[in-house]
Amino acid sequence: AQTVTQSQPEMSVQEAETVTLSCTYDTSENNYYLFWYKQPPSRQMILVIRQEAYKQQNATENRFSVNFQKAAKSFSLKISDSQLGDTAMYFCAFMKQVGGGSQGNLIFGKGTKLSVKP
Amino acid sequence: ETGVTQTPRHLVMGMTNKKSLKCEQHLGHNAMYWYKQSAKKPLELMFVYSLEERVENNSVPSRFSPECPNSSHLFLHLHTLQPEDSALYLCASSQDTLRSGVAQYFGPGTRLTVL
């Protein structure tokens, strides 16, 4: 079974600085997908970034980028130029390749609560 | 807004009550999901519907009963719940469940408290 571990329950960062959230996962699959979701206080969970395991290039979305290390099964999220609006819970999630009876189900970590301080 | 709405946003119910949670997606997706989010635990997948057919039931107690009348609407019927069922219930949708790597889009959730 796949598992996702986020070892940092809480983190804080000063506005305009850079922060990295860690995520490791355990799987015997070779093809899969990884996601970071953001859940602001009392607001909807939204997709931040998505990575395909067969792509070596790290995904980037504006100030958000990942460091995907497939051999180490590590998928960290870097937030550059942190803004107050980045304050949220961040969830790392894993999805197997569809097929062989497997649906596109997400497996989530427990989350990291990020606080951006002015 | 992600295009997925949920009502009610907050619900308090007694253990003998019957209530329903509603989810609606405006994204033209074919798959819908119910998740349970409890404090300090990972999101737990409860049910998956693809093209209005239930394709996964993650060993959820029968006091939770899902219904998907069409690809845009998903309900979760609740009856004789326990206090430990208090949680945030999230609905999500995606294009389908049969394509790899498809992202899921979440609603704002219903905060359920069982007294």
Side-chain angles (χ1 to χ4, degrees):
Chain A
Q2 287 76 26
T3 58
V4 177
T5 302
Q6 293 180 249
S7 59
Q8 305 149 316
E10 292 192 41
M11 292 188 73
S12 64
V13 63
Q14 290 296 128
E15 196 175 6
E17 294 190 348
T18 295
V19 64
T20 299
L21 309 183
S22 67
C23 172
T24 58
Y25 56 93
D26 186 24
T27 184
S28 58
E29 305 286 327
N30 190 46
N31 294 320
Y32 48 87
Y33 300 82
L34 296 161
F35 302 82
W36 278 99
Y37 280 87
K38 167 186 176 182
Q39 188 178 36
S42 303
R43 293 184 62 187
Q44 287 173 254
M45 183 137 57
I46 57 174
L47 177 66
V48 175
I49 203 163
R50 172 182 173 274
Q51 175 80 41
E52 295 145 332
Y54 60 84
K55 287 188 177 179
Q56 293 185 335
Q57 186 173 7
N58 289 325
T60 300
E61 286 289 342
N62 300 316
R63 297 182 296 106
F64 298 88
S65 62
V66 298
N67 182 5
F68 174 49
Q69 301 289 328
K70 191 173 183 180
K73 297 180 183 175
S74 171
F75 183 60
S76 60
L77 175 70
K78 185 171 83 171
I79 306 174
S80 304
D81 186 25
S82 298
Q83 300 176 359
L84 297 177
D86 295 333
T87 293
M89 282 290 289
Y90 286 82
F91 294 95
C92 178
F94 171 98
M95 181 188 288
K96 284 171 60 175
Q97 183 94 345
V98 170
S102 168
Q103 306 286 340
N105 296 341
L106 283 169
I107 299 168
F108 285 87
K110 290 186 178 182
T112 295
K113 184 178 180 181
L114 176 68
S115 299
V116 180
K117 300 185 184 304
Chain B
E1 296 297 325
T2 62
V4 181
T5 58
Q6 290 186 244
T7 54
R9 295 292 305 275
H10 300 272
L11 178 63
V12 179
M13 59 187 289
M15 289 192 287
T16 58
N17 291 158
K18 290 185 180 181
K19 297 286 184 183
S20 295
L21 310 184
K22 179 183 176 182
C23 175
E24 184 172 359
Q25 58 95 1
H26 310 275
L27 301 169
H29 289 166
N30 291 322
M32 297 188 77
Y33 310 76
W34 279 118
Y35 287 88
K36 176 182 179 182
Q37 186 176 25
S38 305
K40 300 185 179 180
K41 291 177 69 176
L43 269 77
E44 299 171 69
L45 178 66
M46 299 175 72
F47 300 103
V48 182
Y49 275 82
S50 177
L51 295 171
E52 302 142 45
E53 285 193 28
R54 192 190 309 179
V55 295
E56 187 141 346
N57 175 352
N58 253 9
S59 303
V60 180
S62 60
R63 57 186 184 269
F64 295 91
S65 175
E67 179 190 359
C68 188
N70 55 63
S71 58
S72 297
H73 294 87
L74 183 65
F75 295 89
L76 187 62
H77 304 299
L78 316 171
H79 62 99
T80 60
L81 294 192
Q82 305 297 313
E84 60 264 29
D85 296 323
S86 298
L88 182 68
Y89 288 84
L90 294 172
C91 173
S93 72
S94 69
Q95 284 185 320
D96 57 53
T97 62
L98 300 179
R99 286 171 51 196
S100 295
V102 174
Q104 293 178 19
Y105 294 83
F106 287 81
T110 295
R111 174 69 63 186
L112 174 67
T113 303
V114 181
L115 301 176

